[in-house]
Amino acid sequence: MIRSLPALYRAARSTLQGNDSPAAMAGGVAGGMRTGLIPPDSLSVPVLVLFVMATTANLFTATVSAILFSWVAYSCDDLLHRIGAYILTLPSLQPGLTLASDAPVLPWTRFNNTVVCGATVLGIGLRYPIHFVSEIAFRRLSPIVHRRLIAWKLYRAWLGIPDPAIDSVPTTPLVDSGASS
């Protein structure tokens, strides 16, 4: 989603400055969740990344959540396998899955892999709840986190926020204008 460290730095700085809405940041979390759950050797991942990049989703939150959810997917591999095995063995889906496996591009998505299928189904099912919960969290927690971080000198320097102690110093010189020695 973000190809270089300077781009990640700019995206993180823009996010921390509050340039994106809570809905855009929540969209990034939901898109990153869908991308991170699916194993990276599937054609579905670059397609999902393109969809996230084509929307107004925050790319920093999408990148961070994709990394975090890839760790979650690794630890929940057995659950994803069971979900995918259930979906792939449903008798009502067999004609459609057979037709899809004969298509020229769809097999590259590895939809017939139980983990990929389970991650796709789980990602589709969790997309709106994750978006809803993370949007509420961003609305409530972003101002609180910003107020706490603003006390740190490194955070203020990174965002280019002036130091309040320096701003309180008078700008005019303290010269006695009435007396001469």
Side-chain angles (χ1 to χ4, degrees):
M1 279 181 237
I2 296 180
R3 304 192 99 188
S4 66
L5 286 178
L8 183 64
Y9 171 80
R10 286 190 304 273
R13 186 174 173 174
S14 174
T15 300
L16 289 174
Q17 284 176 335
N19 292 341
D20 279 336
S21 68
M25 292 190 289
V29 171
M33 181 262 313
R34 295 255 336 256
T35 305
L37 283 178
I38 298 175
D41 57 348
S42 170
L43 182 64
S44 303
V45 173
V47 170
L48 286 173
V49 168
L50 286 175
F51 281 139
V52 170
M53 293 175 72
T55 64
T56 59
N58 183 301
L59 294 182
F60 178 71
T61 57
T63 302
V64 170
S65 66
I67 292 168
L68 293 176
F69 278 103
S70 67
W71 292 339
V72 169
Y74 178 73
S75 64
C76 296
D77 196 41
D78 188 47
L79 172 69
L80 297 176
H81 168 72
R82 282 189 272 144
I83 293 171
Y86 174 75
I87 296 295
L88 289 174
T89 56
L90 284 174
S92 61
L93 294 179
Q94 293 307 311
L97 292 172
T98 304
L99 183 66
S101 66
D102 293 336
V105 177
L106 281 177
W108 290 353
T109 62
R110 296 184 58 218
F111 71 91
N112 56 347
N113 182 318
T114 57
V115 176
V116 173
C117 181
T120 303
V121 168
L122 190 66
I124 290 170
L126 290 179
R127 196 244 183 264
Y128 288 108
I130 291 288
H131 187 280
F132 180 72
V133 169
S134 60
E135 184 173 0
I136 290 172
F138 282 124
R139 285 193 194 285
R140 291 185 180 169
L141 297 178
S142 290
I144 296 168
V145 170
H146 182 70
R147 278 195 305 267
R148 297 241 171 117
L149 289 176
I150 203 88
W152 293 4
K153 191 178 263 188
L154 180 64
Y155 179 75
R156 286 192 311 269
W158 189 39
L159 294 183
I161 300 171
D163 192 2
I166 295 174
D167 287 345
S168 63
V169 175
T171 56
T172 58
L174 297 175
V175 177
D176 188 14
S177 59
S180 60
S181 339

